[in-house]
Amino acid sequence: KRVLGMAVDLACDYLERQCLDESTLDKRILGYLGAYKKFREIVDFEPNLEKSMKPMYSKKWQFAGTNDLVGILKGEWVVVDRKATWALYPSNAIQLMAYKMLIEENYPEIKIKGRYALQLKDTGCYEFQEYKDADDRTTFLSCVMLHHWKLKNGLTKKEKGEEIRIHNGALAKFLVDNFSEGAFKKRISAWVKELDSNNLKILLKWLMYGDGH
């Protein structure tokens, strides 16, 4: 379900950026994409693509995240999180508060007035829910502080897995020159986006298996 959600997010983002080839989409995504199209037709929301789907970092609180949509709804700045889940959950409110804080710290000129979850359904329908509880900020910061306390006291579990290291200067230079470095500076070079559809499908597939950074 997580991989599906990431694929739906990318499809919606490509649609907004007018670079989506719907003939390449897995049929399981089409219903969700139809729901997003219906939302955009009905709701007076205009996304700011420069600030949407953008990794952000909070220097003040030491956390990071990537929002789905930032834009204007009824004349005010709002943040919207797309969901391809079975239902909307109370935890959505906390996640959206984190995005609100990130956006306002990285763009001081913006004040987020609304937090919304957009549930997209494979039937082509959608639910649009607002979260208004101001206490969500306190709840989120409590989680952040607890996480940092656990790190400080060595109480976090290290993930087990294989580590692969490649020592090659030429390869390192190629990767930095074409894709930059660091989680918040990574990019996909223009020449990659101009590859044929088969190679782009491979790229999209392995992006879905990545960790989001």
Side-chain angles (χ1 to χ4, degrees):
K1 195 67 176 178
R2 176 176 177 269
V3 173
L4 174 65
M6 294 172 68
V8 170
D9 266 343
L10 278 178
C12 293
D13 187 57
Y14 285 2
L15 178 70
E16 291 288 2
R17 299 177 194 276
Q18 300 180 3
C19 60
L20 177 66
D21 181 356
E22 294 190 34
S23 67
T24 66
L25 294 178
D26 187 296
K27 63 181 181 180
R28 289 171 292 183
I29 297 176
L30 297 179
Y32 299 97
L33 184 63
Y36 184 70
K37 289 180 179 179
K38 184 179 293 185
F39 162 76
R40 292 288 280 112
E41 290 173 1
I42 296 174
V43 179
D44 183 22
F45 170 75
E46 190 59 39
N48 182 304
L49 298 181
E50 180 185 349
K51 298 175 177 62
S52 297
M53 291 288 283
K54 185 172 182 178
M56 297 181 189
Y57 175 69
S58 169
K59 292 182 180 179
K60 181 177 182 180
W61 299 107
Q62 300 290 296
F63 73 93
T66 302
N67 69 72
D68 283 348
L69 288 167
V70 181
I72 302 295
L73 176 65
K74 298 179 181 179
E76 295 184 326
W77 283 100
V78 300
V79 58
V80 178
D81 195 48
R82 286 183 294 252
K83 298 292 185 184
T85 51
W86 300 113
L88 293 177
Y89 303 102
S91 58
N92 296 334
I94 310 305
Q95 181 182 8
L96 282 158
M97 177 56 75
Y99 292 153
K100 167 181 162 66
M101 293 170 62
L102 283 171
I103 294 162
E104 292 181 343
E105 181 176 332
N106 284 266
Y107 299 98
E109 72 278 10
I110 293 178
K111 297 301 178 186
I112 298 296
K113 298 297 184 180
R115 296 175 289 137
Y116 294 86
L118 172 61
Q119 182 191 13
L120 304 175
K121 303 179 181 181
D122 59 0
T123 59
C125 299
Y126 71 86
E127 297 289 338
F128 195 47
Q129 181 171 323
E130 184 177 11
Y131 299 90
K132 299 181 179 181
D133 192 343
D135 289 340
D136 292 338
R137 178 184 174 88
T138 301
T139 302
F140 173 69
L141 288 178
S142 297
C143 294
V144 172
M145 294 299 101
L146 178 60
H147 173 71
H148 289 316
W149 179 83
K150 291 174 69 176
L151 286 175
K152 181 179 179 180
N153 290 278
L155 298 176
T156 57
K157 293 182 179 179
K158 294 183 178 179
E159 294 184 5
K160 295 182 179 180
E162 295 182 356
E163 183 179 87
I164 299 175
R165 296 189 179 187
I166 301 174
H167 300 277
N168 186 300
L171 176 60
K173 185 178 186 305
F174 171 80
L175 293 174
V176 171
D177 289 347
N178 288 273
F179 306 101
S180 192
E181 58 184 327
F184 302 105
K185 294 182 180 179
K186 286 181 183 177
R187 67 177 189 275
I188 297 177
S189 292
W191 64 266
V192 176
K193 300 174 185 178
E194 294 174 358
L195 294 172
D196 62 79
S197 60
N198 287 331
N199 280 303
L200 288 175
K201 285 180 182 178
I202 294 172
L203 172 65
L204 179 59
K205 173 184 175 181
W206 289 102
L207 281 174
M208 293 299 96
Y209 284 119
D211 62 0
H213 296 287

